[in-house]
Amino acid sequence: MSHSSLQQPLTSHKGKPLSGTIRVPGDKSISHRSLMFGALALGTTRISGLLESEDVIGTANAMNAVGANCQRLDDGSWRVDGVGLGSLLEPQAPIDFGNAGTGVRLCMGIFASHPISVMMTGDSSLSGRPMGRVLNPLRQMGTAVIAREGDRLPAAIRGNNAPAAITYRVPMPSAQVKSAVLLAGLNTPGTTTVIEPVATRDHTEKMLQGFGAELSVEINEAGERVISLQGQPKLKAQDVIVPGDPSSAAFPIVAALITPGSDVTVENVLLNEHRTGLLTTLIEMGGDITITNRRESGGEEIGDIRVRTSNLKGIIVPAERAPSMIDEYPILAVAAAFAEGETKMLGLEELRVKESDRLAAVARGLEANNVPCVEGEDTLSVTGQAPQLGGGRVVTHLDHRIAMSFLVLGLAAEKPVEIDDGAPIATSFPSFTKLMEQLGGKIN
Ligand code: S3P
């Protein structure tokens, strides 16, 4: 599932104001989960609005490799004929998850409590990312693991046919770790409990409930989320409507804020409270952002977001906000480059283990484009409105969000911005360049 090994440099240029109304593709987190849960359910799940990106297609292939049938229909929707919880088949070849951390980590959880052996690989970015955070709780449940030094991919797991239910306190704020343990708990007798000291995106909890699992969420005396799942439920096929991805909407939103004279609306965007930290931050910075047509769709709040160019001010972004905007710091740093004064972002330690070391990649990209910044161990300070912005070449390290963020910088900077490789954009937002051009941006 790895994208082309040939690098595809791209350059963005300052041009016209951005204007128009667009929709971004479906939410990546919900898309992965709808395929996985459809595969574990009995019956046929229908998905509309699925994100058809490399990461998500990798998950469809993984589910097909263990016996499900995920298929695109002529009308653009997807059907998933479930194989059923407990009935996964052993894949006949290693599964390549490409660039997808969510794909591989959640699948590790699913495979761990099925009596199958699975070998998992990924691209060089994914093979450098820590898997121990997921493999360690799975080992506690009785799964056998062989992994490369430091618990990196390639890794093989032999699922357990008599897994043990555990209570697990997630040591870092990670929805992927929480989800992997809960998904392993699905085919485990008894109650699997995950304690989450810091709340992260709750799509796994909500969607498992929607597919018929008995799952409760309580807040304990210490203010932690305690998620309890009863094992071996009968999951039933569902109709899933995937809303627009706020992490993709972030790029046209910031582009419109910083490109003079712009007025852009992004329709149908997921507004789950665990995903809206960037909107809160941009509004605090003085962004002219209005949300209209708030409505419910498939158990989630969605809305249309209108953005007009604004004079942004630097602020302090508190560490507590990080889980609700964890994928949005690269594009926030670009907004900060156009804000008056300093923007200081705190609590960024998880950025070090994303598709790249995002904290370092952002800092190097800013420096290459004359944006003053200071990279701390888990902080980033950006001073905005420096003269002569742009003109740099950015190394993207196989990281789609670094690629898109710096292309957005180039749409508003004085000088063009070049990225070394636009190919990874296809992992999450294949229509990015087309949509930005539709709004009036110049990328080639
Ligand atoms: C995701 C969780 C986050 C996020 C990723 C998607 C998910 O990762 O960065 O893009 O769908 O659960 P972590 O759990 O590692 O923070």
Side-chain angles (χ1 to χ4, degrees):
M1 265 321 296
S2 303
H3 55 71
S4 158
S5 53
L6 287 179
Q7 291 207 327
Q8 295 170 21
L10 286 173
T11 303
S12 56
H13 309 259
K14 187 171 180 167
K16 297 185 292 202
L18 304 178
S19 71
T21 298
I22 55 168
R23 286 186 174 214
V24 293
D27 185 67
K28 183 152 74 71
S29 295
I30 295 179
S31 293
H32 280 297
R33 288 162 173 82
S34 58
L35 292 166
M36 292 174 190
F37 302 171
L40 293 172
L42 285 175
T44 298
T45 287
R46 292 185 191 280
I47 310 168
S48 60
L50 186 84
L51 167 64
E52 293 174 335
S53 72
E54 288 177 357
D55 277 12
V56 174
I57 301 299
T59 288
N61 292 338
M63 293 299 100
N64 289 345
V66 292
N69 178 26
C70 304
Q71 210 188 333
R72 187 180 202 271
L73 303 178
D74 289 344
D75 65 0
S77 68
W78 282 68
R79 67 176 282 168
V80 182
D81 300 314
V83 59
L85 188 61
S87 302
L88 299 189
L89 305 177
E90 187 160 88
Q92 290 170 3
I95 301 180
D96 180 1
F97 284 91
N99 193 255
T102 306
V104 74
R105 290 192 175 126
L106 270 57
C107 281
M108 283 174 171
I110 292 174
F111 302 154
S113 54
H114 285 80
I116 55 175
S117 295
V118 189
M119 173 84 177
M120 290 156 287
T121 64
D123 71 6
S124 62
S125 155
L126 192 59
S127 303
R129 298 180 66 184
M131 295 296 145
R133 51 178 54 200
V134 165
L135 294 172
N136 286 333
L138 300 181
R139 287 180 174 113
Q140 285 179 29
M141 297 176 86
T143 306
V145 178
I146 302 176
R148 201 163 59 84
E149 181 68 23
D151 271 342
R152 314 276 156 167
L153 294 180
I157 63 175
R158 167 117 199 110
N160 195 316
N161 60 2
I166 59 169
T167 294
Y168 191 69
R169 174 178 266 97
V170 186
M172 69 289 289
S174 169
Q176 293 177 355
V177 176
K178 162 178 70 177
S179 300
V181 177
L182 289 172
L183 295 182
L186 276 178
N187 198 35
T188 298
T191 308
T192 294
T193 304
V194 175
I195 302 170
E196 201 182 31
V198 178
T200 61
R201 66 189 69 194
D202 59 357
H203 307 304
T204 297
E205 296 92 302
K206 281 186 166 172
M207 290 179 70
L208 282 180
Q209 286 169 334
F211 274 79
E214 211 179 303
L215 179 148
S216 66
V217 182
E218 280 161 22
I219 307 294
N220 68 14
E221 284 163 11
E224 302 167 321
R225 288 178 87 237
V226 180
I227 307 151
S228 305
L229 172 74
Q230 305 310 315
Q232 301 183 313
K234 284 203 170 53
L235 299 179
K236 286 196 294 293
Q238 298 295 312
D239 288 344
V240 181
I241 303 168
V242 184
D245 193 330
S247 299
S248 296
F251 301 106
I253 287 172
V254 170
L257 283 175
I258 63 176
T259 306
S262 299
D263 185 349
V264 166
T265 299
V266 189
E267 291 180 335
N268 196 47
V269 182
L270 174 68
L271 295 173
N272 178 302
E273 60 172 326
H274 299 289
R275 303 288 300 280
T276 48
L278 178 74
L279 291 179
T280 308
T281 303
L282 293 173
I283 291 168
E284 272 180 22
M285 291 172 79
D288 180 351
I289 298 177
T290 46
I291 301 175
T292 55
N293 203 9
R294 281 183 187 265
R295 55 207 188 271
E296 214 203 272
S297 169
E300 290 285 3
E301 192 181 6
I302 62 171
D304 302 339
I305 303 174
R306 182 175 181 191
V307 190
R308 280 169 282 199
T309 309
S310 309
N311 294 321
L312 300 176
K313 296 182 307 291
I315 60 165
I316 294 176
V317 187
E320 312 81 79
R321 201 176 289 161
S324 67
M325 54 178 296
I326 194 63
D327 290 334
E328 278 68 79
Y329 285 99
I331 192 64
L332 174 63
V334 169
F338 291 84
E340 188 192 327
E342 188 187 52
T343 298
K344 186 155 192 190
M345 306 164 212
L346 309 175
L348 305 187
E349 59 276 6
E350 279 294 303
L351 292 199
R352 299 267 183 211
V353 289
K354 293 295 176 188
E355 284 82 332
S356 64
D357 174 345
R358 268 190 190 152
L359 192 37
V362 168
R364 297 299 85 73
L366 292 173
E367 285 162 4
N369 287 289
N370 289 327
V371 182
C373 67
V374 179
E375 174 194 353
E377 209 170 304
D378 61 354
T379 60
L380 181 67
S381 298
V382 179
T383 303
Q385 300 187 348
Q388 302 288 312
L389 283 188
R393 186 167 202 266
V394 177
V395 183
T396 52
H397 301 283
L398 288 179
D399 189 330
H400 52 131
R401 299 198 200 281
I402 298 297
M404 290 185 277
S405 298
F406 283 97
L407 287 174
V408 168
L409 177 77
L411 294 177
E414 279 156 59
K415 299 190 211 150
V417 174
E418 185 185 355
I419 60 164
D420 64 346
D421 191 11
I425 293 172
T427 62
S428 72
F429 194 173
S431 54
F432 168 78
T433 305
K434 195 181 90 203
L435 281 176
M436 297 311 293
E437 283 174 345
Q438 191 180 314
L439 293 172
K442 196 170 159 206
I443 301 175
N444 53 28

